[in-house]
Amino acid sequence: MRIHLDEAIQLLNDAHVVAVPTETVYGLAASLRHLSAIEQIYSLKGRPRANPMIVHVNHVDRIKSFSLELPPQFNELALAFWPGPMTLILPVNTSLIPSLVRSDLPTVGFRIPKHAVTLALLKETGPLVMPSANLSGKPSATSPEHVEEDFGLNFPVLDGGNCEKGLESTILCYQKDRWVILRLGSLEPAAFLSVLGYEPEVILKTDSSKPLCPGQLFRHYAPKAKLLFGDSIDISEVSFIIGFKERIYPKEKRIIHLGSLLNPNEVAENLYKVLRQLDQEKAQAAWVDMDFPSDGLWQTIRERLTRASEIK
Ligand code: TXA
Ligand code: MG
């Protein structure tokens, strides 16, 4: 059910869960003031309780009011990238943020999204807890239709059209004496060079059973179809190919284009739509053309496709 801003404000203030657009992906929002609504997000998504949620606000002063101490260069990062697709993990005063949101960690991820309607919403509701608006493990939702696919036509969605970026925010935390990237996202690592004076190291998976970013533990972004890569695959076995406009693939296959090899922004915007399309078309398996660049946003695109291909 598509709803307007006023209705979204009312529902959130009345402890309901609402899907909300951001520039990255749609989020499932609950007010930080309503524990029952936060509980509901975990059950709606089928999300493990060990996977904490990002708190979204409309102003950096809100973040400062929750934090214990701000790491070096926090202000510079905030000024350069907020509102925008950056999430910073910060140590917080745990009495101010329910442990349900933090999965008992002493830290919280914060973000100021760059979306006019959602900033207007946050101004009225105060902080919103907001994971991506998809069933746990599935590709994120980048349009109202995707949200409805996962949660039904009656689920309230604040309609903001298609998400501009199509990939989640880049997550950073401060470790020892440096910022590091815990999740690749819409902001490429090189974007931080001019602000920090260095490119943050990317630490995606550790062997530890307690990774820095709990989301790394769980299967992600995956359609039902098996995704196959590489030249050694016998593609006579698959009827779907995911590839690029410029390339020529066997005509008898169902070819779904991610976009142009010259335009990683376009590919990022389309990625989850394409993965969801495989399910809509009831694909069993698809071969993915992974012969694309490795720099910048392509690195995130490759990581998402690789995660989506992992067997449960
Ligand atoms: O672009 C985005 O970030 C979207 C939009 C809606 O803002 N949100 C999003 O949320 O992707 P979610 O819940 O799907 O992913 C949040 C990730 C999870 O992998 C979680 O483990 C990690 O952030 N995270 C949250 N709090 C954390 C914390 N305190 N320490 C480490 N990782 C944390
Ligand atoms: Mg997610």
Side-chain angles (χ1 to χ4, degrees), residues 117-195:
V117 178
T118 303
L119 286 169
L121 177 74
L122 285 161
K123 193 161 173 253
E124 299 303 320
T125 58
L128 294 175
V129 170
M130 195 149 71
S132 52
N134 52 280
L135 293 171
S136 203
K138 291 276 147 210
S140 297
T142 55
S143 70
E145 290 79 14
H146 294 166
V147 179
E148 289 162 354
E149 226 168 63
D150 283 11
F151 301 104
L153 286 173
N154 287 329
F155 195 82
V157 184
L158 179 58
D159 192 346
N162 293 341
C163 297
E164 181 201 330
K165 301 280 184 195
L167 292 172
E168 297 82 350
S169 60
T170 302
I171 302 183
L172 294 96
C173 86
Y174 192 78
Q175 249 201 348
K176 293 182 195 127
D177 59 352
R178 307 211 119 201
W179 287 93
V180 296
I181 292 177
L182 301 185
R183 178 178 73 180
L184 290 165
S186 283
L187 270 175
E188 53 190 277
F192 297 95
L193 179 61
S194 61
V195 176

Side-chain angles (χ1 to χ4, degrees), residues 209-281:
S209 61
K210 275 201 178 161
L212 292 168
C213 180
Q216 300 292 342
L217 279 176
F218 306 106
R219 181 175 150 94
H220 259 83
Y221 319 115
K224 289 199 182 85
K226 202 192 288 176
L227 301 185
L228 304 167
F229 306 153
D231 294 339
S232 58
I233 301 293
D234 176 6
I235 66 165
S236 66
E237 301 281 318
V238 300
S239 39
F240 287 77
I241 289 182
I242 294 179
F244 299 94
K245 286 193 240 200
E246 294 87 352
R247 296 248 166 87
I248 296 166
Y249 305 104
K251 281 207 179 54
E252 68 279 12
K253 307 288 182 192
R254 166 83 176 102
I255 295 159
I256 307 180
H257 287 137
L258 286 164
S260 166
L261 281 162
L262 302 174
N263 190 349
N265 294 317
E266 177 193 27
V267 174
E269 199 186 324
N270 286 333
L271 181 64
Y272 294 136
K273 185 175 75 183
V274 166
L275 293 181
R276 283 175 171 269
Q277 202 171 332
L278 289 175
D279 281 353
Q280 286 156 8
E281 299 192 24

